Amino acid sequence: MNPVLNHDLYLVKQHSRTFRLTRKYEIIDPKSKEVIMTCAEEVGAGTKLVRTLIKRTMTPFNLVIRTPSGEPVCTVKRGFSLFLSTIQVFDEHNVLV
């Protein structure tokens, strides 16, 4: 497990952009006010196209959480869903948690 996950409290700040098809976040340590992780949604062009046509809650996503130096911490994935969705969480070695 990555040592950056040993904090008790995190502050998540979303990057705001107009007409966004992907999301980006900064994960901050509230005590030191330093960015300890970044989170970016990595999706393909097909998913971006589908997001313009249907609800975002139905489209798949792939969130990659990294340290500021670029090392992966974990990945959160969800496939296409109509009613119920299954979320998968992978560690830094792409092993399902």
Side-chain angles (χ1 to χ4, degrees):
M1 185 165 85
N2 197 307
V4 77
L5 297 175
N6 292 334
H7 294 275
D8 293 329
L9 187 64
Y10 300 96
L11 175 68
V12 179
K13 179 182 174 186
Q14 182 177 357
H15 288 239
S16 59
R17 295 178 285 169
T18 329
F19 193 67
R20 57 180 174 223
L21 294 174
T22 61
R23 295 186 179 174
K24 291 185 179 182
Y25 305 91
E26 288 181 341
I27 302 167
I28 301 167
D29 179 12
K31 294 175 185 171
S32 67
K33 309 286 192 238
E34 292 181 21
V35 175
I36 55 174
M37 292 181 277
T38 60
C39 180
E41 191 173 16
E42 298 177 355
V43 295
T47 302
K48 289 180 184 179
L49 177 65
V50 170
R51 284 186 179 173
T52 62
L53 304 172
I54 64 173
K55 286 179 154 181
R56 180 182 188 87
T57 57
M58 297 170 60
T59 60
F61 66 80
N62 182 22
L63 289 171
V64 180
I65 302 171
R66 300 179 187 276
T67 61
S69 61
E71 300 169 32
V73 175
C74 67
T75 304
V76 181
K77 294 181 181 184
R78 181 188 71 195
F80 185 79
S81 66
L82 287 175
F83 302 108
L84 297 174
S85 61
T86 302
I87 306 288
Q88 296 177 318
V89 179
F90 298 89
D91 66 4
E92 65 267 15
H93 304 294
N94 281 332
V95 177
L96 185 63
V97 178

